[in-house]
Amino acid sequence: MHSNQQTAPHNPTAERIVLGALLNDSSQLFDVSEVLKPEQFYRDIHSKIFRSMLDISATGRKPSLQQIVARVGDEYEDGKSTVHLLTSILRDAEKDEALSPFDFVDLIIDEWARRQIAITQQWIGKELGKNEKQPQEFLSEINERFQEIGLQTQAAPVITLGESAKRAVASSIRVMETGEVIGMGWGLPTLNEVIGPVKPGDLGFIGAAPSGGKTVVALQLCRAAQDALLFELEMDHEDLSRRELSGDAGIPVSQIEEGTYDMFTKGVLEKVRDGLEGERVYIDDRPALTWEQIKARIIQMKRSKGIRLAVIDHLRLVRTTKRVRDKFERAEYITSEAKALAKALKIAIIFLTQRSRTSLRRDSWIPRLDDFDAGPSVDQDADWVLGLARPEQWLKNNKPRLPPNTAPEDDFKFKAWLDEMKKYKGKIEFYGLKRRKGDTIMRDAIFDGAAGRCREIEC
């Protein structure tokens, strides 16, 4: 298996991190060993270190460097020092004690599986050349081999209810003592109240009419959370950035586009630009992406950048390579896949979704859970659903006709419409249509479309 070390799939960094975390704290060793086996390490010395740690722990002792060296040997791979290797691995682990081995175990197992698949492919080629077996017998043997690889790639241990409760209480006490809530805030207290913090593993939906503020709210969340990936399937990335520059600098988007500003404003714009360079918000604006492409990019960004949030704008535009009957089956497949991915990667995934045209013809701007594209799958798979409404926008689209030769103040219906326009001018309403805290809740805020911001209403 190790004969082709230049090309065989492997992740030496993940192997070192797992070993370092266990050398630093061996209390998780047996939990890790439930899913990770010594032979799944690529480097032979890493495999031997892991096996020796298991053997030492099985005798009731805590593995030490000298005990490991006694089992592995003073040297490895053409005279390299085992003690120096162990010391280096442990030193790296001590730099960041917050790293959990379970965040990297699946990377090791994934690479092992790829190596096994490659070996199986070579075996298939050789067996085909012999032409000694009946096709059905050969297919059965191939299936058994791949099933066995699949059984060995379960990269998460089971947990008892008691252990789960122990962790939940520890988290609760940490929040009580520090005030630090698990999850990501929205960057707007009102939204924190409506939905609560966005948590790892969440599948959420933000729904609104076209131009209803979905992207504004989503980008505000991304910037508040950081380590976020935004799939922008409609808008060009520079258009998105111009909005943020406008909001941070207080300069109209049109002036940024046209370059119609003075030297002082240019300095402000450059200062805001420099500030944005430090933000860990990543944009993928490729059009017509499939779910399979989105999934691959999310996994890659989780591994390379440590993202904890992915936002897809929006659900109706996402395609899939899987054959489906209609848009409802497509959405159901995508949302169920997204829920599984969010849980597996321990990140939040959020889809933006539009209200259907039928729902916009109702005599109210208030959104309902079944208003959105592929509503049944949204209701079924979502951990939470945030509905947005801009009453001013709805009122403009439903302006009553003023009878001829009638002053606005003399027509009761038109006057009532004007009063509502004044009342709701510049407002956005947030509806927690599905939420952990129970029944639907509504709160409102200021919608500044020109600046691409939602702001609190000042009392």
Side-chain angles (χ1 to χ4, degrees):
M1 183 172 67
H2 292 194
S3 60
N4 189 6
Q5 295 196 2
Q6 296 301 315
T7 58
H10 63 291
N11 191 325
T13 301
E15 293 187 6
R16 285 178 63 97
I17 289 174
V18 169
L19 291 176
L22 296 176
L23 285 169
N24 196 36
D25 178 11
S26 62
S27 64
Q28 299 183 84
L29 181 59
F30 287 114
D31 286 337
V32 170
S33 69
E34 287 182 20
V35 292
L36 181 64
K37 309 305 176 191
E39 58 270 20
Q40 290 174 321
F41 285 86
Y42 175 75
R43 292 192 65 187
D44 186 59
I45 183 60
H46 290 167
S47 176
K48 288 179 178 178
I49 291 170
F50 186 62
R51 189 183 298 279
S52 69
M53 292 178 71
L54 290 174
D55 291 343
I56 294 166
S57 295
T59 65
R61 294 174 294 167
K62 181 179 178 180
S64 68
L65 298 192
Q66 293 304 321
Q67 289 170 344
I68 295 170
V69 171
R71 288 173 179 264
V72 172
D74 291 316
E75 297 180 347
Y76 71 99
E77 294 177 4
D78 301 326
K80 297 177 183 176
S81 168
T82 304
V83 169
H84 287 170
L85 174 65
L86 290 169
T87 303
S88 173
I89 291 173
L90 186 57
R91 187 186 306 118
D92 289 343
E94 289 172 345
K95 291 178 183 176
D96 194 346
E97 296 183 357
L99 289 177
S100 167
F102 285 107
D103 292 336
F104 298 89
V105 164
D106 60 336
L107 304 183
I108 298 174
I109 295 177
D110 283 351
E111 298 304 295
W112 171 83
R114 290 187 178 92
R115 296 196 298 273
Q116 297 308 304
I117 291 169
I119 291 170
T120 303
Q121 285 177 324
Q122 293 174 2
W123 170 78
I124 291 171
K126 290 179 181 178
E127 292 297 308
L128 279 172
K130 294 177 182 177
N131 200 27
E132 296 175 349
K133 299 175 183 175
Q134 292 295 319
Q136 291 303 321
E137 179 188 0
F138 191 32
L139 287 171
S140 178
E141 291 180 359
I142 293 171
N143 186 49
E144 284 184 26
R145 288 200 174 213
F146 280 118
Q147 281 185 343
E148 185 60 28
I149 294 172
L151 287 173
Q152 298 300 320
T153 57
Q154 302 302 310
V158 296
I159 187 171
T160 66
L161 178 61
E163 180 61 28
S164 177
K166 180 181 177 182
R167 295 184 188 181
V169 170
S171 297
S172 176
I173 292 173
R174 185 166 61 250
V175 172
M176 183 268 291
E177 292 177 345
T178 66
E180 180 184 346
V181 179
I182 298 171
M184 295 160 271
W186 288 82
L188 197 71
T190 294
L191 273 172
N192 292 337
E193 181 184 355
V194 172
I195 294 295
V198 178
K199 297 184 178 180
D202 273 2
L203 176 64
F205 293 83
I206 302 174
S211 302
K214 300 183 296 296
T215 306
V216 169
V217 171
L219 196 49
Q220 200 156 336
L221 169 62
C222 287
R223 292 189 62 186
Q226 295 293 299
D227 299 314
L229 171 61
L230 172 62
F231 292 92
E232 183 48 71
L233 306 184
E234 280 193 311
M235 196 182 305
D236 179 80
H237 66 88
E238 286 194 24
D239 290 334
L240 203 66
S241 296
R242 276 189 283 267
R243 280 191 184 186
E244 295 307 295
L245 288 165
S246 171
D248 286 5
I251 304 168
V253 172
S254 60
Q255 288 189 16
I256 297 175
E257 288 179 331
E258 299 163 9
T260 54
Y261 45 79
D262 57 24
M263 293 303 294
F264 174 78
T265 303
K266 176 176 177 285
V268 173
L269 193 61
E270 290 175 336
K271 184 176 180 180
V272 170
R273 175 205 63 195
D274 294 343
L276 288 173
E277 285 184 359
E279 298 208 4
R280 299 182 306 282
V281 177
Y282 310 96
I283 302 168
D284 187 334
D285 67 345
R286 291 174 293 168
L289 288 176
T290 65
W291 165 249
E292 290 71 25
Q293 289 173 308
I294 290 172
K295 180 178 179 180
R297 175 56 63 90
I298 290 174
I299 293 172
Q300 180 259 324
M301 289 294 288
K302 168 66 175 179
R303 292 177 177 177
S304 63
K305 303 294 186 182
I307 62 166
R308 54 184 188 149
L309 169 66
V311 178
I312 299 100
D313 184 9
H314 54 82
L315 178 59
R316 182 170 56 82
L317 298 177
V318 181
R319 299 292 177 257
T320 175
T321 57
K322 179 182 173 64
R323 294 187 65 179
V324 292
R325 291 190 300 269
D326 51 37
K327 66 178 183 179
F328 298 104
E329 186 174 315
R330 171 176 56 82
E332 184 176 5
Y333 168 72
I334 291 170
T335 58
S336 62
E337 281 276 301
K339 177 59 185 172
L341 183 64
K343 185 176 181 181
L345 296 183
K346 294 182 176 63
I347 68 169
I349 296 179
I350 299 172
F351 284 99
L352 309 191
T353 180
Q354 289 192 1
R355 289 182 65 172
S356 66
R357 292 180 181 178
T358 304
S359 74
L360 295 174
R361 290 196 290 266
R362 283 204 311 266
D363 59 355
S364 172
W365 60 72
I366 298 174
R368 299 195 309 230
L369 197 54
D370 59 357
D371 283 348
F372 307 115
D373 286 335
S377 64
V378 171
D379 188 13
Q380 173 181 292
D381 294 320
D383 291 291
W384 52 262
V385 179
L386 172 66
L388 311 180
R390 291 177 58 198
E392 180 184 10
Q393 185 184 43
W394 186 90
L395 288 166
K396 284 180 180 178
N397 294 332
N398 291 272
K399 182 178 180 180
R401 278 187 163 186
L402 186 65
N405 303 317
T406 304
E409 61 272 15
D410 293 335
D411 184 83
F412 175 78
K413 190 174 182 180
F414 197 87
K415 186 176 183 300
W417 177 83
L418 282 174
D419 290 342
E420 285 201 306
M421 281 292 290
K422 292 177 183 177
K423 177 181 178 181
Y424 291 107
K425 184 174 177 59
K427 296 284 187 66
I428 185 169
E429 294 181 342
F430 303 129
Y431 291 84
L433 300 176
K434 183 177 181 181
R435 55 198 295 269
R436 296 185 182 90
K437 297 181 180 179
D439 296 337
T440 298
I441 184 175
M442 189 282 281
R443 296 289 184 270
D444 57 0
I446 300 297
F447 182 78
D448 187 346
R453 295 288 184 278
C454 292
R455 311 185 196 281
E456 295 289 334
I457 295 176
E458 296 181 5
C459 299

